[in-house]
Amino acid sequence: MPLLIIFSIAQILFFLIGINTSPLVMIILPIGVIILWWLINNPAISLMFLSLTAIIKGYLINYYPIFELIDITVVVTIIIWLGLIKMFIQDGWNISTNLKEVVYIFLFFGIILGLSYLYTPSPDYGLMKILRFNTFALTMFLTPFLIIKKPTDSKRLLYYFYFLLAIIVGIMLFQFIYFLKSGDFAIVLAYWNRISIPGANPIQVSRYLAIGAAMMIALLIRKKPSDSISYIVILSIILLTIILSGSRGPLVSIILGSIIYAILYERNHFIKIVAYASVALGTIVLILLLLPENLTQRFFDISQGSVIISQQGVKRVSTIATRFEFWSMSLKSWISSGINFVFGLGSGGFSSLFIWRDWRWYPHNMFFEIIVELGLIGLIVLSLFITKAYKLISQGLNKGTFTDHSALWVAGTTVMFIAAQFSGDINDNRILWMFLAISIASTHVDRLLVLDTDN
């Protein structure tokens, strides 16, 4: 009855607003309210959408100026928390005792990051980094523990990811076909010879694709050879879109991450691992040889860098050499003094090593980022977190293997962990925190189901 009264009042308001503005408003507003209520009641959908905001935000800002005022990431985060609060009121938040420790470590890391603001030489970037981590990264890490209560919840979340992945792959392929037909690569050149979703950073797009590729490789390892043809085709398409994005880090992350995942969790399939790794590498080489030079030059300019067109003119940039320089600077700063060694420079402090000073800049490696900004204390907490997460995930192994859905989450997590060592900061890699939480929660509910069955 209270909900009926609320909706009745809302409908009257929509009617009055529509009369004074546009009749279309009478349709749009009710639909918007229905979608909002649906998302609040389905935090899993909102969570997957939040993982996509880094990709779609640029497009929304370019084509819908209102999103310059309304941050879509903040809006989705608020919707998630409304859903979580609703869950708390109805049933409470029931996180298993075994999982609380890793949650507490993550929260403690956020506190340490916040305290480092007291001594950071980059207060503007440092504060932004702290707020983003303790808002968005925390939301993406905590939510899976609250919404995954049984294996079907993990499977449903996986279907949502598949849906978003298919959309991204479709958009990338559409643009590739368009460029091939038109022969006009001017837009591609603006992205350093890279194809991406309009307005999106190619690296963010390729990370999402890399996760999908890792999942396909995991399925290939686990499935019968007779069922592998369709997965090989899907894997080849995803690898094609990653190469189109021009992102070398995610491509390397797929290879290294898949090998590490297979060694850790799929040792019984060694022959398959070698066979499908060879197939993946062969597919990558074949795609690189067949694609136009405009789209593959970045992969052949590893040693001498890429020639790009910027506002300053034509110049050559080597991102690999730059990263090595960043890592060296981080290490030298860390060991430069006892205070830096223990506490680091503070949140965002890496930017103070440059002439820009208080600027959003980072080493493009999670561990170097932690040691330079949070010192030994941050490194210890991060190491404890990773160790605990690994142990919890490993406990989900049943007779030496995962269930299929958990295996895919873990494979994606491993690849994202490797990718975090090449690009982005702890906030850019917030999808890693989400995948870690999903992997832990998914393997945990699988383990509980096995224990109940045995009893």
Side-chain angles (χ1 to χ4, degrees):
M1 182 61 68
L3 285 176
L4 184 60
I5 294 174
I6 292 174
F7 278 114
S8 298
I9 295 174
Q11 191 61 43
I12 295 173
L13 290 175
F14 298 154
F15 180 76
L16 294 174
I17 294 173
I19 292 176
N20 291 279
T21 56
S22 170
L24 191 61
V25 174
M26 285 186 263
I27 300 175
I28 295 176
L29 286 179
I31 292 176
V33 172
I34 292 172
I35 293 175
L36 175 61
W37 185 249
W38 176 64
L39 291 175
I40 290 174
N41 284 278
N42 295 275
I45 297 176
S46 301
L47 176 66
M48 295 309 299
F49 188 71
L50 181 60
S51 71
L52 202 64
T53 54
I55 296 176
I56 65 174
K57 181 184 288 186
Y59 173 84
L60 292 175
I61 291 176
N62 286 338
Y63 293 93
Y64 303 96
I66 190 174
F67 286 102
E68 292 183 359
L69 302 175
I70 302 174
D71 191 326
I72 187 64
T73 308
V74 174
V75 172
V76 178
T77 302
I78 292 173
I79 292 174
I80 291 175
W81 277 103
L82 289 174
L84 296 180
I85 292 172
K86 182 175 178 292
M87 288 177 56
F88 178 77
I89 295 173
Q90 291 178 337
D91 304 314
W93 291 347
N94 300 312
I95 300 179
S96 174
T97 304
N98 294 338
L99 306 183
K100 287 183 178 180
E101 183 177 350
V102 73
V103 175
Y104 292 151
I105 296 175
F106 190 86
L107 292 172
F108 184 58
F109 180 83
I111 293 173
I112 291 177
L113 183 68
L115 291 175
S116 70
Y117 180 74
L118 298 175
Y119 56 88
T120 180
S122 306
D124 291 340
Y125 171 44
L127 180 60
M128 179 185 69
K129 190 171 188 175
I130 293 167
L131 293 177
R132 290 180 65 202
F133 183 85
N134 286 296
T135 302
F136 306 130
L138 175 61
T139 300
M140 297 181 75
F141 182 74
L142 181 63
T143 303
F145 293 110
L146 301 175
I147 63 177
I148 298 178
K149 300 300 181 183
K150 50 187 180 297
T152 53
D153 295 329
S154 175
K155 294 177 183 178
R156 189 181 303 111
L157 203 58
L158 190 60
Y159 294 146
Y160 298 153
F161 177 81
Y162 284 161
F163 177 75
L164 296 177
L165 179 66
I167 293 177
I168 294 174
V169 171
I171 295 175
M172 294 289 287
L173 289 177
F174 174 80
Q175 289 198 97
F176 175 55
I177 295 172
Y178 170 77
F179 289 132
L180 282 182
K181 290 185 66 177
S182 65
D184 182 7
F185 285 89
I187 299 178
V188 182
L189 288 173
Y191 278 100
W192 290 8
N193 297 348
R194 308 166 88 162
I195 290 178
S196 180
I197 293 176
N201 186 329
I203 295 178
Q204 295 287 0
V205 175
S206 60
R207 285 177 183 171
Y208 225 85
L209 296 168
I211 294 171
M215 290 181 172
M216 290 303 106
I217 293 175
L219 283 173
L220 283 169
I221 294 173
R222 301 171 66 83
K223 296 297 183 179
K224 297 178 181 179
S226 58
D227 301 330
S228 62
I229 296 179
S230 59
Y231 296 122
I232 290 177
V233 172
I234 296 174
L235 174 62
S236 300
I237 293 174
I238 295 176
L239 291 175
L240 168 63
T241 55
I242 294 174
I243 292 173
L244 292 175
S245 73
S247 299
R248 295 170 294 206
L251 199 62
V252 173
S253 301
I254 294 172
I255 299 172
L256 294 180
S258 298
I259 292 174
I260 293 172
Y261 163 78
I263 292 174
L264 291 176
Y265 303 113
E266 303 285 357
R267 299 176 187 175
N268 297 332
H269 303 100
F270 180 76
I271 296 178
K272 281 188 176 182
I273 295 170
V274 175
Y276 290 125
S278 301
V279 170
L281 287 173
T283 302
I284 292 171
V285 173
L286 182 62
I287 293 173
L288 288 173
L289 292 176
L290 293 177
L291 284 176
E293 183 180 355
N294 307 64
L295 298 174
T296 61
Q297 194 62 39
R298 274 179 56 83
F299 295 93
F300 298 106
D301 287 340
I302 295 177
S303 59
Q304 58 183 347
S306 304
V307 176
I308 67 169
I309 300 176
S310 66
Q311 293 179 343
Q312 290 75 35
V314 179
K315 61 180 180 179
R316 187 175 295 277
V317 175
S318 174
T319 56
I320 295 178
T322 301
R323 277 164 172 72
F324 280 123
E325 182 180 355
F326 287 174
W327 299 347
S328 175
M329 292 173 63
S330 301
L331 185 60
K332 289 178 181 178
S333 175
W334 185 41
I335 61 177
S336 63
S337 69
I339 294 178
N340 284 358
F341 184 80
V342 176
F343 299 103
L345 296 173
S347 175
F350 177 74
S351 66
S352 69
L353 302 178
F354 296 80
I355 58 174
W356 305 293
R357 304 298 293 176
D358 199 351
W359 183 260
R360 186 175 181 271
W361 208 238
Y362 41 85
H364 291 77
N365 177 284
M366 180 185 297
F367 288 97
F368 284 110
E369 178 184 0
I370 296 305
I371 62 173
V372 71
E373 296 188 356
L374 299 180
L376 181 62
I377 295 177
L379 181 62
I380 291 174
V381 176
L382 179 64
S383 300
L384 287 174
F385 172 77
I386 294 173
T387 302
K388 183 62 178 179
Y390 172 73
K391 289 180 178 179
L392 289 173
I393 292 173
S394 298
Q395 288 175 1
L397 290 167
N398 179 33
K399 298 179 181 179
T401 187
F402 292 122
T403 60
D404 282 350
H405 61 95
S406 289
L408 300 186
W409 288 122
V410 176
T413 300
T414 307
V415 169
M416 269 305 303
F417 180 78
I418 300 300
Q421 312 316 316
F422 297 107
S423 63
D425 64 358
I426 57 175
N427 285 310
D428 291 333
N429 290 298
R430 58 178 180 258
I431 193 174
L432 169 62
W433 312 123
M434 183 188 80
F435 266 73
L436 261 174
I438 294 174
S439 297
I440 294 171
S442 181
T443 53
H444 176 71
V445 294
D446 286 344
R447 177 170 173 265
L448 293 181
L449 182 62
V450 170
L451 293 176
D452 291 340
T453 302
D454 292 341
N455 293 332

